[in-house]
């Protein structure tokens, strides 16, 4: 079957021995960062398919059927031959599309990043991280952190590009990467103000400055409260869709340390990849805190139940799902947070006794690429 596929690809103009890749783009930026990084590392001809989903998709995902019924075909990029040898996808809406493609080209391999709704056996490979709590299986690759596009070369180039605009800021520089609401946790304006005061104190103690960037999940009120609470020299980038030149990677390259809100697994991964000291900010406090299990010993799987009560009905529902539902219905960010702290990759802001660079993270992108190549006998 593999030989037949590669011969077909040659007829369509693709060099022999190089599988054709489709990326089924996700609605979530963090998912797409992983998919694009993986496709780039594979080095095979790739095409990104941007799909617009109907509201009915949420119901269809429970059935895990090979169908395009959940896709607004008129508003999406065409899904048509020549068919891919490999589908890279993330986000549960993409599952049915991937299965539909394979129904038309049975040799298509499907690699899913994250946690799927469908049974794991229906995928050639699932690339996952601890918060999803997937079981060990031959076709499941467990990584510590999400894949990313942070490389020393990219950080150096972006830092060089942005440095003239930031040369007036007193050193040292502290980057502040800001997320937002995430399942059981809310990033309120009060939390944003608390973050602003905390990083101000951190920078002021050394006579330094802040490089702050919000993200797609940062609410406008929280972003404003954060900016108003900052009391030291700073450069604040307010994220906007199609907002032009984004300094995110430049901030990672220029900063001496990085503060990241602990709601964003992707930004934590990117911060740690910079090899700078990383401090996690708990966007919740009191009975809602992310690190409510502080002091509990044991492996990540031994975390105690999360406090059931959230700041809203939706947050409470997420907490109940973490405690009582099958893992595919939720994710537990506390697992990754604790693994990072106990592994020496990060410290909680306010608890750090020293600012030390994290140890090297294993080459998870490299081993993921190796596993995919094995699917094709390469």
């Amino acid at each position: 079957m593999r030989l037949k596929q590669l011969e077909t690809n040659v007829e369509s103009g693709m060099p022999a021995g190089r599988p054709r890749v489709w990326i089924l783009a996700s609605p979530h930026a963090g998912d797409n960062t992983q998919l694009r990084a993986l496709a780039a590392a594979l080095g095979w001809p790739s095409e990104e398919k941007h799909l617009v989903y109907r509201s009915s998709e949420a119901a269809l995902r429970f059935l895990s059927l090979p169908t395009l019924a959940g896709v607004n075909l008129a508003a999406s990029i065409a899904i048509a031959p020549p068919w891919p040898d490999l589908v890279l996808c993330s986000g549960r809406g993409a599952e049915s599309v991937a299965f539909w493609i394979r129904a038309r080209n049975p040799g298509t391999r499907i690699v899913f990043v994250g946690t799927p709704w469908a049974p794991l056996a229906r995928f050639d490979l699932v690339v996952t991280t601890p918060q999803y709590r997937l079981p060990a299986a031959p076709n499941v690759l467990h990584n510590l952190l999400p894949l990313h596009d942070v490389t020393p070369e990219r950080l150096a180039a972006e830092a060089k590009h942005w440095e003239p605009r930031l040369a007036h800021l007193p050193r040292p520089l502290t980057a502040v990467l800001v997320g937002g609401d995430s399942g059981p946790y809310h990033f309120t304006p009060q939390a944003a103000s608390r973050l602003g005061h905390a990083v101000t104190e951190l920078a002021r103690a050394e006579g330094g400055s802040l490089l702050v960037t919000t993200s797609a999940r940062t609410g406008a009120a929280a972003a404003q409260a954060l900016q108003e609470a900052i009391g030291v020299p700073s450069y604040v980038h307010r994220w906007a869709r199609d907002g032009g030149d984004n300094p995110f990677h430049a901030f990672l390259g220029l900063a001496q340390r990085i503060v990241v809100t602990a709601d964003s697994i992707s930004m934590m991964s990117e911060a740690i990849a910079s090899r700078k000291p990383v401090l996690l900010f708990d966007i919740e406090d009191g009975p809602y805190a992310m690190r409510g299990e502080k002091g509990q010993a044991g492996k990540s799987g031994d975390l105690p139940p999360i406090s059931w009560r959230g700041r809203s009905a939706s947050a409470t529902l997420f907490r109940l799902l973490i405690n009582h539902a099958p893992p595919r219905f939720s994710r537990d960010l506390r697992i990754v947070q604790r693994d990072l702290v106990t592994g020496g990759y990060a410290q909680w802001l306010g608890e750090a006794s020293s600012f030390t660079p994290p140890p090297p993270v294993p080459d998870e992108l490299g081993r993921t690429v190796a596993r995919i190549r094995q699917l094709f006998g390469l």
Side-chain angles (χ1 to χ4, degrees):
M1 176 60 73
R2 175 176 167 267
L3 179 59
K4 183 178 180 180
Q5 279 186 281
L6 295 183
E7 288 172 350
T8 301
N9 288 338
V10 171
E11 292 172 1
S12 64
M14 179 180 138
R18 301 181 67 207
R20 181 190 302 274
V21 181
W22 279 6
I23 299 171
L24 301 186
S26 166
H28 305 290
D31 292 342
N32 290 330
T33 295
Q34 295 194 70
L35 298 176
R36 291 166 186 157
L38 189 51
L42 282 166
W44 297 339
S46 64
E47 182 179 352
E48 190 164 317
K49 300 288 186 178
H50 291 268
L51 306 177
V52 177
Y53 294 100
R54 302 180 186 276
S55 57
S56 59
E57 181 279 318
L60 288 170
R61 72 177 57 164
F62 286 95
L63 302 176
S64 298
L65 299 174
T67 179
L68 298 183
V71 179
N72 182 340
L73 297 177
S76 302
I77 292 180
I79 305 296
W83 302 115
D85 303 295
L86 172 65
V87 169
L88 301 177
C89 56
S90 186
R92 290 159 175 174
E95 294 181 41
S96 293
V97 179
F99 296 148
W100 185 89
I101 293 168
R102 188 166 61 188
R104 279 138 192 84
N105 188 48
T108 295
R109 274 74 163 174
I110 301 175
V111 174
F112 190 93
V113 177
T115 181
W117 278 96
L120 297 176
R122 295 185 65 182
F123 300 89
D124 294 279
L125 182 66
V126 174
V127 182
T128 192
T129 39
Q131 75 271 24
Y132 296 120
R133 300 168 288 170
L134 294 187
N139 66 329
V140 177
L141 179 61
H142 291 268
N143 287 333
L144 172 65
L145 288 167
L147 305 176
H148 55 78
D149 57 3
V150 173
T151 64
E153 295 76 16
R154 180 171 188 179
L155 297 191
E158 293 287 342
K160 182 178 180 180
H161 173 66
W162 272 85
E163 202 283 332
R165 280 180 269 186
L166 304 172
H168 64 286
L169 293 175
R171 268 53 176 175
L173 300 172
T174 297
V176 184
L177 315 180
V178 186
D181 293 352
S182 181
Y185 308 111
H186 284 304
F187 186 53
T188 63
Q190 292 74 25
S193 180
R194 181 163 53 87
L195 171 61
H197 289 297
V199 293
T200 291
E201 181 180 342
L202 188 66
R204 182 177 287 151
E206 297 180 338
S209 308
L210 301 174
L211 304 175
V212 182
T213 178
T214 62
S215 64
R217 289 188 298 104
T218 311
Q224 186 64 31
L226 170 64
Q227 192 162 357
E228 291 174 355
I230 292 173
V232 292
S234 63
Y235 184 99
V236 179
H237 173 75
R238 297 277 289 267
W239 184 92
R241 193 175 302 279
D242 301 321
D245 202 0
N246 190 323
F248 180 86
H249 290 89
F251 286 2
L252 294 182
L254 290 167
Q256 279 67 58
R257 76 172 64 93
I258 299 168
V259 175
V260 56
T261 58
D263 57 274
S264 175
I265 301 295
S266 293
M267 288 198 297
M268 287 191 282
S269 176
E270 291 160 331
I272 289 167
S274 73
R275 301 300 314 280
K276 310 290 178 65
V278 175
L279 302 174
L280 307 181
F281 175 75
D282 191 338
I283 67 171
E284 288 281 17
D285 57 3
Y288 312 108
M290 291 177 156
R291 44 186 168 157
E293 78 287 348
K294 187 174 69 172
Q296 297 279 345
K299 299 179 180 179
S300 58
D302 299 329
L303 284 170
I306 191 172
S307 173
W308 69 270
R309 186 180 63 181
R311 291 186 186 273
S312 66
S314 63
T316 297
L317 175 60
F318 274 108
R319 290 167 180 261
L320 292 173
L321 291 174
I322 289 173
N323 287 339
H324 303 294
R328 70 173 182 162
F329 288 95
S330 66
R331 59 176 186 158
D332 192 346
L333 298 179
R334 300 176 305 157
I335 298 173
V336 176
Q337 294 160 359
R338 190 164 90 169
D339 287 353
L340 294 181
V341 172
T342 58
Y345 297 101
Q347 303 173 77
W348 286 105
L349 178 63
E351 295 182 358
S353 57
S354 62
F355 302 122
T356 57
V361 176
D363 182 13
E364 296 182 324
L365 180 59
R367 76 185 190 118
T368 303
V369 167
R371 285 290 299 273
I372 294 175
R373 291 177 64 87
Q374 288 175 8
L375 299 177
F376 294 89
L378 300 176

